[in-house]
C-alpha cells in the first residue's frame, strides 16, 4: 500500500497500491471485518462482532498506513482496527478481483462430454498416499464428473480408506457402504441381475448424495457393462432441441419414494424437479430415477401427458449413442463420479453360481469433497507439486 485516504462525500476509504491501481473499501465492511480479538475469534476465524453493534452509516474518524504494510483505522467510538495489505487486496471490490476470488472458492469449471470421453484414470494407491495425486483425482472429478481409480484390493474396505482420505463418507439407509449384487427378495432394483436403466441415485432424499463410489470386487463373466452419461450436458442439448420439454422438466416437482429395511427400516419421500436450474436458468443437478419415481403425480390431469412426453424426450436423448460411455469394470477398479451430474446404468448379466458380480458402494457429499479439494490445493501449491494428470484425459 502506498496511500490510504477517506473518499470525500462518501463512507469509503481509498487505497492506492504500489502498481498504481486503486481499491475502494466501504467503511461498514471494514468495521464488520475488524481483525482484532474482540471482533474476531482467531482460533476459528469466525466473526464475534454482533450485527446489532454494527453502524451501517459508520465513517472512519482517522485512517493511516502502519508499519508492516498495514492499514490502521480509528472509528468514532475510539475502537481501532488493523488490516494487512495482502488481506485487503485479495478482497478488493473491483469486478475482476471479485471474479478471481469466486473462482478460487468454487474451484474448477466443468467440462462437458459425450461418448467420446476416455475415462480419466489414476492409481488407487497413489491417491491414498500422495497429495498431488489426490488433488488430481478430486479436481478431475469436479471438472469431468468421473475418475476411475485402478488397482484397489479386490475385497471390501477400499471405500472406507477413500472415505478417510476425503474426511468421511455419508451414512444412508443402506449403510456406510453397501454391496451391489444379485439378492433374493431384493429391496433395490440394483440388487438384481437385470438391466439397470440410466439414473441418478437417491432423489427420494431431500439432499441426494453428491458423489458416488463403486468398487468392483468381482465381475460377471458375461454382461454387467457399466454406462455413464453427462446428464447436465444432455439437459443443455434438450434445451436447444426441445425448449418446452426442458422448461416442463425444470418446473414440475416429481414425487420420489423409497421404502424398505436395510441398515434400518425406512420410508423416505421427496419432491424433486428432474432438472434443477440455478437463478440464470442453467441446469445444475439431475434428479432422475425411474425405479423410485412414485405413482403419485402431483399435477392437474391435463398436464400429465405433456409431462410424460417431456420425460420421454429427455430419456431418449440420454440414451442416444452419442452421449453414452460404455465400459466394463474389472476387479480392483473404483469408479468415482458426480451423482448430481452423471446418470449411470448397467447392462444385464448372468449371475454366477459361485460368487458372481459384486460391487461395494458408498457416498460422499460435495461439501466434504470440495473441502478436501481446497485443502489439497493449498498443500500442493505450497509444495509446488501439481500431481499427475489422470490418464485418459
Amino acid at each position: 500500500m502506498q496511500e490510504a485516504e477517506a473518499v470525500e462525500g462518501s463512507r469509503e476509504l481509498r487505497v492506492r497500491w504500489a502498481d498504481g491501481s486503486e481499491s475502494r473499501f466501504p467503511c461498514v465492511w471494514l468495521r464488520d471485518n475488524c481483525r482484532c480479538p474482540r471482533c474476531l475469534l482467531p482460533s476459528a476465524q469466525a466473526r464475534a462482532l454482533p450485527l446489532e453493534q454494527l453502524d451501517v452509516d459508520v465513517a472512519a474518524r482517522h485512517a493511516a498506513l502502519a508499519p508492516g504494510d498495514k492499514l490502521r483505522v480509528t472509528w468514532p467510538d475510539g475502537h481501532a482496527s488493523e488490516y494487512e495489505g495482502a488481506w485487503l487486496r485479495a478482497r478488493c471490490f473491483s469486478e475482476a478481483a471479485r471474479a478471481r476470488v469466486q473462482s478460487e472458492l468454487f474451484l474448477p469449471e466443468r467440462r462437458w462430454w459425450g461418448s467420446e470421453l476416455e475415462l480419466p484414470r489414476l492409481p488407487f494407491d497413489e491417491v491414498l498416499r500422495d497429495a498431488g495425486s489426490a488433488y488430481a483425482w478430486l479436481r478431475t472429478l469436479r471438472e469431468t464428473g468421473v475418475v476411475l481409480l485402478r488397482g484397489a484390493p479386490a475385497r471390501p474396505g477400499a471405500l472406507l480408506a477413500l472415505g478417510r482420505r476425503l474426511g468421511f463418507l455419508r451414512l444412508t439407509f443402506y449403510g456406510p457402504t453397501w454391496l451391489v449384487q444379485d439378492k433374493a427378495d431384493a429391496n433395490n432394483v440394483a440388487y438384481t441381475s437385470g438391466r439397470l436403466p440410466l439414473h441418478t441415485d437417491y432423489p427420494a432424499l431431500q439432499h441426494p448424495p453428491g458423489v458416488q463410489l463403486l468398487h468392483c470386487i468381482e465381475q460377471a463373466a458375461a454382461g454387467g457393462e457399466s454406462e455413464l452419461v453427462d446428464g447436465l450436458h444432455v439437459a443443455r442439448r434438450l434445451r436447444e432441441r426441445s425448449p418446452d420439454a426442458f422448461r416442463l422438466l425444470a418446473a414440475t416437482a416429481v414425487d420420489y419414494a423409497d421404502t424398505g429395511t436395510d441398515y434400518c427400516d425406512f420410508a423416505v419421500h421427496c419432491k424433486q424437479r428432474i432438472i434443477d436450474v440455478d437463478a440464470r436458468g442453467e441446469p445444475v443437478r439431475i434428479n432422475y430415477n425411474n425405479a423410485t419415481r412414485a405413482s403419485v403425480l402431483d399435477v392437474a390431469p391435463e398436464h400429465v401427458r405433456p409431462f410424460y412426453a417431456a420425460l420421454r424426450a429427455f430419456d431418449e436423448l440420454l440414451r442416444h449413442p452419442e452421449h453414452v460411455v460404455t465400459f466394463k469394470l474389472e476387479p480392483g477398479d473404483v469408479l468415482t463420479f458426480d451423482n448430481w451430474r452423471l446418470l449411470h446404468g448397467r447392462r444385464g448379466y448372468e449371475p454366477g453360481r459361485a460368487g458372481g458380480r459384486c460391487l461395494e458402494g458408498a457416498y460422499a457429499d460435495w461439501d466434504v469433497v470440495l473441502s478436501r479439494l481446497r485443502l489439497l490445493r493449498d498443500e500442493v501449491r505450497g509444495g509446488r507439486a501439481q500431481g499427475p494428470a489422470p490418464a485418459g484425459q
Side-chain angles (χ1 to χ4, degrees):
M1 293 182 289
Q2 294 294 301
E3 186 181 358
E5 62 179 357
V7 179
E8 187 175 354
S10 70
R11 295 177 175 85
E12 293 181 343
L13 294 182
R14 180 189 290 123
V15 173
R16 292 192 179 92
W17 305 96
D19 61 5
S21 63
E22 292 185 353
S23 298
R24 294 166 61 186
F25 297 98
C27 289
V28 64
W29 177 84
L30 288 167
R31 182 64 189 90
D32 183 42
N33 288 281
C34 176
R35 317 309 289 164
C36 83
R38 285 177 51 193
C39 299
L40 181 81
L41 178 62
S43 57
Q45 286 296 295
R47 184 179 289 106
L49 177 67
L51 191 62
E52 65 265 22
Q53 295 181 16
L54 182 65
D55 179 5
V56 175
D57 296 319
V58 69
R61 190 172 77 187
H62 180 70
L65 298 183
D69 194 34
K70 294 180 180 180
L71 171 65
R72 181 176 178 84
V73 180
T74 304
W75 303 103
D77 62 0
H79 188 80
S81 304
E82 281 193 349
Y83 310 89
E84 294 183 353
W87 186 91
L88 283 173
R89 183 134 203 194
R91 289 154 180 81
C92 173
F93 282 85
S94 72
E95 186 173 345
R98 298 201 318 268
R100 184 168 57 251
V101 169
Q102 291 305 308
S103 67
E104 288 287 310
L105 292 174
F106 289 102
L107 301 165
E109 290 300 315
R110 294 182 173 95
R111 297 205 303 263
W112 313 114
W113 49 264
S115 60
E116 78 286 350
L117 177 73
E118 186 177 349
L119 288 180
R121 296 171 170 84
L122 281 168
F124 174 82
D125 285 342
E126 288 187 12
V127 165
L128 289 187
R129 63 179 173 78
D130 178 68
S133 294
Y135 174 66
W137 167 40
L138 299 184
R139 182 184 178 92
T140 306
L141 183 61
R142 166 67 181 179
E143 290 177 337
T144 308
V146 58
V147 180
L148 182 64
L149 306 181
R150 309 297 302 272
R155 58 180 182 271
L159 299 189
L160 294 176
L162 276 182
R164 289 190 293 270
R165 188 65 169 115
L166 292 171
F168 53 89
L169 297 173
R170 176 170 176 177
L171 177 63
T172 71
F173 291 108
Y174 292 92
T177 67
W178 21 270
L179 294 180
V180 182
Q181 56 190 159
D182 188 44
K183 301 177 183 179
D185 299 321
N187 64 344
N188 191 296
V189 293
Y191 300 163
T192 67
S193 59
R195 171 179 172 264
L196 199 58
L198 292 165
H199 64 284
T200 62
D201 270 20
Y202 249 149
L205 295 181
Q206 299 286 336
H207 186 73
V211 172
Q212 185 163 171
L213 317 171
L214 286 174
H215 174 209
C216 182
I217 297 171
E218 190 173 357
Q219 182 59 276
E225 292 85 356
S226 298
E227 297 176 328
L228 287 177
V229 172
D230 187 342
L232 293 182
H233 176 56
V234 175
R236 289 164 170 249
R237 289 285 184 90
L238 180 70
R239 182 174 58 187
E240 296 170 359
R241 300 181 184 186
S242 304
D244 289 342
F246 178 90
R247 283 193 291 268
L248 194 54
L249 295 182
T252 305
V254 176
D255 289 79
Y256 285 100
D258 194 18
T259 60
T261 300
D262 201 294
Y263 188 71
C264 65
D265 53 344
F266 55 90
V268 293
H269 179 276
C270 186
K271 286 181 177 290
Q272 303 278 10
R273 290 166 177 80
I274 301 290
I275 302 174
D276 270 343
V277 297
D278 62 15
R280 301 169 299 163
E282 290 298 318
V284 292
R285 193 173 84 189
I286 306 299
N287 306 289
Y288 180 35
N289 191 320
N290 205 51
T292 58
R293 186 166 52 81
S295 56
V296 172
L297 184 55
D298 189 15
V299 300
E302 61 269 23
H303 298 314
V304 171
R305 289 184 65 253
F307 166 76
Y308 276 104
L311 188 55
R312 279 291 301 270
F314 185 44
D315 186 80
E316 289 172 7
L317 202 56
L318 288 168
R319 292 183 287 106
H320 195 281
E322 69 175 323
H323 296 137
V324 182
V325 174
T326 304
F327 56 97
K328 191 164 184 174
L329 292 170
E330 300 177 1
D333 286 348
V334 181
L335 184 67
T336 66
F337 62 93
D338 184 345
N339 184 57
W340 289 0
R341 172 180 171 181
L342 271 60
L343 294 93
H344 64 287
R346 179 198 67 215
R347 294 180 180 177
Y349 64 94
E350 287 294 328
R353 292 185 178 180
R357 187 178 191 270
C358 178
L359 274 64
E360 185 178 29
Y363 298 118
D365 282 325
W366 268 116
D367 288 327
V368 176
V369 174
L370 291 179
S371 168
R372 183 57 54 193
L373 177 54
R374 293 186 184 100
L375 292 170
L376 287 167
R377 178 193 62 192
D378 295 342
E379 183 176 349
V380 299
R381 284 181 178 178
R384 297 183 180 179
Q386 293 299 312
Q393 286 197 288

